Amino acid sequence: MKNILKVVYQPDTNITSDIVFIHGLGGGPESTWLHERNQRFWPSGLQNFFPASRVLTYGYAADFATFFPSPSDANSRTDIKQHATVLLHALVELREASKTDSKAIVFIAHSLGGLICANALVNSDSEYSNIIRNTRGLIFMGTPFGAPNEDDTTVWTEIAERFLTLYETGNEDAHFELDKRV
């Protein structure tokens, strides 16, 4: 998937704020936000509560192998900082083009999307200061901000390696067992 900032709802009148949804590892810009029972994309319903807010989703390649590739595919690896920079750039472009760069922003992020959001706000360059200055709310759901005294990359790499061993040749029983649980 290519990184994309998509407008889900655009008010007819003056935009007062942007609400930005960022999905997590293994998710998608729409699939993550589907209501469990009726499969309705619930962020589109925010227009009923916030009619002057523009609702956006940020999509990026969030498959497991992209973040934790095998050693032979190490060059295809993407990282949180890359996605954070692309998110910021897309937001600045959209907000400048629509003359809404001084409006409030609320981020709603799940899992890895929370790490991308936090990285964007903490480690950004001065060209993105408008985004930081206008951020008025952050909602993190299931965001793994890391274990104390451990490097996040090391922790996630160990988890990924343990997970990937289930899919190596010779572990068909473990693979089958995992499929049954999912």
Side-chain angles (χ1 to χ4, degrees):
M1 167 191 283
K2 189 176 181 181
N3 294 355
I4 188 165
L5 188 64
K6 178 182 173 188
V7 176
V8 173
Y9 170 72
Q10 175 86 28
D12 293 332
T13 58
N14 200 15
I15 296 171
T16 60
S17 64
D18 284 325
I19 302 172
V20 183
F21 286 83
I22 309 168
H23 66 86
L25 185 64
E30 291 186 15
S31 61
T32 294
W33 312 109
L34 292 176
H35 188 277
E36 189 175 319
R37 281 179 284 161
N38 64 17
Q39 295 298 295
R40 182 168 180 253
F41 181 65
W42 65 266
S44 63
L46 290 178
Q47 64 187 333
N48 299 325
F49 303 97
F50 307 102
S53 292
R54 178 171 46 196
V55 179
L56 309 157
T57 59
Y58 175 66
Y60 60 96
D63 55 297
F64 203 80
T66 300
F67 279 87
F68 307 105
S70 67
S72 62
D73 294 333
N75 291 336
S76 67
R77 183 175 193 259
T78 59
D79 65 25
I80 292 167
K81 186 170 175 62
Q82 289 171 317
H83 289 300
T85 301
V86 172
L87 169 63
L88 288 169
H89 183 74
L91 276 171
V92 166
E93 243 180 34
L94 174 70
R95 290 167 60 88
E96 285 178 354
S98 60
K99 297 184 180 13
T100 57
D101 51 335
S102 64
K103 304 299 181 181
I105 306 172
V106 173
F107 290 97
I108 301 172
H110 176 253
S111 177
L112 182 66
L115 297 178
I116 290 170
C117 178
N119 189 282
L121 297 173
V122 172
N123 299 319
S124 62
D125 298 328
S126 61
E127 69 182 289
Y128 306 116
S129 62
N130 223 0
I131 300 293
I132 295 157
R133 185 173 34 260
N134 291 297
T135 297
R136 298 289 183 263
L138 300 164
I139 299 173
F140 295 109
M141 297 180 284
T143 301
F145 281 112
N149 302 322
E150 289 196 51
D151 177 25
D152 286 343
T153 305
T154 303
V155 171
W156 280 103
T157 301
E158 288 172 5
I159 292 169
E161 286 172 351
R162 279 183 269 162
F163 181 79
L164 290 174
T165 59
L166 294 174
Y167 287 94
E168 289 178 357
T169 307
N171 282 327
E172 287 81 15
D173 291 340
H175 183 196
F176 177 75
E177 191 63 33
L178 184 64
D179 281 343
K180 282 190 339 190
R181 292 181 193 168
V182 177

